[in-house]
Amino acid sequence: MAKIALITGVTGQDGSYLSEFLLGKGYEVHGIIRRSSVDYRERIAHLEGTPHFHLHYADMSDSMSLVKLVGKVQPDEIYNLAAQSHVQVSFDAPEFTADVDAVGVLRILEAVRTNHLEKTCKIYQASTSELYGKVEEVPQSETTPFHPYSPYAVAKLYGYWIIKEYREAYDMFCCSGILFNHESERRGETFVTRKITLAAARIAQGLQECLYLGNLDSLRDWGYAKDYVECMWLILQHPTPEDFVIATGVQHTVREFATLAFHHAGIELRWEGKGVDEKGIVEELRIKNEKLKIKEGDVVVRVSPDFYRPTDVVNLLGDPSKAKRELGWNPQSTSFEELVELMVKHDMQKVTREHFNAAEYLEKGIVK
Ligand code: NAP
Ligand code: F7E
């Protein structure tokens, strides 16, 4: 009998990769989608219609929809990935964020209990390095104290504790993966990495002149989403329900990410100034493209306080020793350098496809 998995957040970056991963392992995969005025399911479009992949309407803010769905699907494993996942947005929509990211976790746990599946259904909770927030030690491990520093992080902290509570109170197999930032070609376009790789691709193809960013000094431990979804599964295959830090153990600034991304788009940057006056300037252009709107010496990255946060998490570095030791997971399967390169390559092609005749571009504009 194939195992049955239910994924909330199936349309998101991680949900799409996890669906592919579980289908590859022979699972029957069910995903929760929510009603929207436009059906925008680009990340899972290639899976729709495949025999063991099923989508259902439900919502993390609607208990009854979750209770009915869990009863209908009878999952062996639930991966709770659904969330309002943008930290900056959580300052503008804190109540919605709390409802989905905090109480939503409780609703999933109660849906499992209501259907009397607490002894058979394992639950993975998408927890986050944002719990460490205003960090109390570097690097951060499973024993580092939490200090959440945004409405998103406070909501996710509730999710973390309610999972732990149900594990102890009802002997349920439910665990949190404390995942550090993970990115990919499918990352939402307003997260800093994807915003940078798309802008570098557009600037390199003459479609944009400047990229505006917030805090360039912020440090993140960035991994590749495709590598991280394997860990979600491994956590549920572990003999005992436990929480794990998933990270690469390497950190870089936003500025370093931008420098490398522009390099792969054929633009070498140098940085001048400090704080809001800092600028990324074209040091060398390695692109031949008649459509290009920039030249050497032009400013292509500026700082805008619009992207500053009321409180910002600035020093995340994970210690993945436990996941390495107990799950046999390799935190270095995709390096930072490989991640940036694959994201830029993808976005160079996407921009070309969307805006130009590909053949014309390949003929006239190439990265030397
Ligand atoms: P994402 O791309 O933003 O996807 C979020 C998913 O949640 C989408 O499928 C979204 O559906 C769904 N969702 C939001 N509100 C919902 C609601 N009320 N009911 C049902 N579904 C809802 O996020 P991600 O990067 O894949 O991250 C997956 C999970 O891991 C999230 O919980 C996030 O907080 C957490 N996390 C992410 C990272 C990271 O670096 N990516 C790190 C640590 C933890 P729509 O498509 O309809 O909007
Ligand atoms: O910001 C700085 C910003 O929005 C990273 C989510 O998946 O990972 C993600 O949250 C850093 C921050 O991700 C811009 O201030 C500078 O310090 O890409 P981000 P995040 O806030 O780390 C965690 C682990 C999650 O759990 C979340 O769900 O970059 N930054 N300039 C900027 N950030 C954005 N978005 N845009 C800028 O222009």
Side-chain angles (χ1 to χ4, degrees):
M1 282 280 281
K3 274 197 186 171
I4 300 172
L6 176 62
I7 303 177
T8 75
V10 74
T11 55
Q13 170 188 261
D14 292 4
S16 64
Y17 284 122
L18 182 65
S19 298
E20 288 167 7
F21 178 85
L22 293 176
L23 287 168
K25 290 241 167 251
Y27 276 66
E28 185 179 312
V29 176
H30 295 258
I32 288 179
I33 51 169
R34 53 183 179 155
R35 158 77 187 139
S36 151
S37 65
V38 276
D39 267 340
Y40 186 68
R41 306 205 285 256
E42 195 186 4
R43 295 185 180 108
I44 52 166
H46 60 294
L47 298 176
E48 289 190 52
T50 56
H52 303 290
F53 186 68
H54 312 278
L55 297 175
H56 311 265
Y57 284 103
D59 197 292
M60 296 304 290
S61 60
D62 180 342
S63 309
M64 196 49 80
S65 71
L66 299 174
V67 170
K68 282 194 286 186
L69 188 58
V70 169
K72 181 174 157 192
V73 169
Q74 298 276 310
D76 300 299
E77 295 173 6
I78 295 180
Y79 295 86
N80 185 36
L81 311 185
Q84 189 303 93
S85 74
H86 204 285
V87 174
Q88 189 155 12
V89 171
S90 77
F91 289 96
D92 297 325
E95 189 181 335
F96 172 73
T97 304
D99 192 24
V100 175
D101 299 13
V103 186
V105 187
L106 177 68
R107 292 189 184 107
I108 286 286
L109 289 162
E110 280 299 306
V112 169
R113 290 188 66 227
T114 307
N115 285 290
H116 310 293
L117 296 173
E118 64 268 42
K119 295 288 174 249
T120 55
C121 177
K122 298 179 179 181
I123 303 170
Y124 169 85
Q125 165 59 16
S127 194
T128 168
S129 51
E130 289 293 305
L131 300 187
Y132 301 118
K134 192 176 180 189
V135 298
E136 300 197 1
E137 67 183 22
V138 182
Q140 297 90 34
S141 72
E142 290 81 0
T143 56
T144 302
F146 298 133
H147 190 146
Y149 216 33
S150 65
Y152 167 80
V154 174
K156 283 284 185 177
L157 189 63
Y158 176 87
Y160 173 88
W161 281 112
I162 200 70
I163 285 282
K164 199 167 158 57
E165 176 57 23
Y166 274 49
R167 182 159 77 213
E168 288 170 18
Y170 304 118
D171 198 23
M172 289 171 71
F173 196 113
C174 43
C175 333
S176 292
I178 305 173
L179 269 58
F180 282 61
N181 297 53
H182 44 282
E183 319 295 313
S184 74
E185 311 89 302
R186 297 184 193 169
R187 184 58 144 153
E189 296 182 6
T190 58
F191 294 97
V192 76
T193 55
R194 191 74 198 290
K195 183 175 164 183
I196 293 170
T197 58
L198 270 171
R202 289 192 188 116
I203 291 171
Q205 299 185 41
L207 292 161
Q208 187 174 330
E209 286 174 43
C210 190
L211 163 66
Y212 291 85
L213 293 172
N215 184 0
L216 298 172
D217 292 317
S218 192
L219 285 157
R220 285 291 183 276
D221 178 329
W222 279 298
Y224 186 31
K226 221 172 175 173
D227 299 336
Y228 282 38
V229 298
E230 182 194 4
C231 256
M232 299 176 184
W233 177 77
L234 285 171
I235 289 172
L236 291 194
Q237 313 316 308
H238 193 258
T240 47
E242 289 179 36
D243 304 326
F244 288 87
V245 160
I246 307 300
T248 68
V250 180
Q251 68 176 180
H252 291 275
T253 60
V254 170
R255 186 184 301 99
E256 285 164 350
F257 190 102
T259 306
L260 193 54
F262 275 81
H263 164 79
H264 286 298
I267 302 168
E268 302 303 334
L269 290 184
R270 70 167 192 276
W271 298 89
E272 283 182 10
K274 285 226 173 316
V276 281
D277 296 322
E278 186 164 355
K279 294 173 181 59
I281 298 167
V282 180
E283 176 79 2
E284 187 196 343
L285 270 180
R286 291 183 293 106
I287 320 162
K288 278 190 279 170
N289 184 346
E290 66 201 22
K291 294 190 173 78
L292 211 61
K293 293 196 179 81
I294 52 159
K295 55 185 186 316
E296 285 170 11
D298 282 357
V299 176
V300 286
V301 184
R302 289 181 194 274
V303 173
S304 163
D306 284 353
F307 300 108
Y308 285 168
R309 297 173 183 182
T311 46
D312 197 12
V313 174
V314 294
N315 193 3
L316 290 178
L317 174 66
D319 172 2
S321 308
K322 183 180 174 191
K324 232 166 123 178
R325 193 176 60 243
E326 292 188 28
L327 302 176
W329 182 67
N330 173 13
Q332 295 297 334
S333 27
T334 308
S335 69
F336 174 74
E337 288 72 21
E338 288 166 328
L339 171 69
V340 179
E341 185 174 2
L342 70 85
M343 287 179 70
V344 175
K345 271 195 175 149
H346 173 273
D347 284 340
M348 288 291 276
Q349 283 168 13
K350 175 182 159 75
V351 169
T352 305
R353 219 174 29 244
E354 286 174 1
H355 294 277
F356 301 112
N357 172 317
E360 182 198 34
Y361 178 75
L362 288 175
E363 190 190 321
K364 293 189 177 163
I366 50 161
V367 177
K368 277 187 258 171

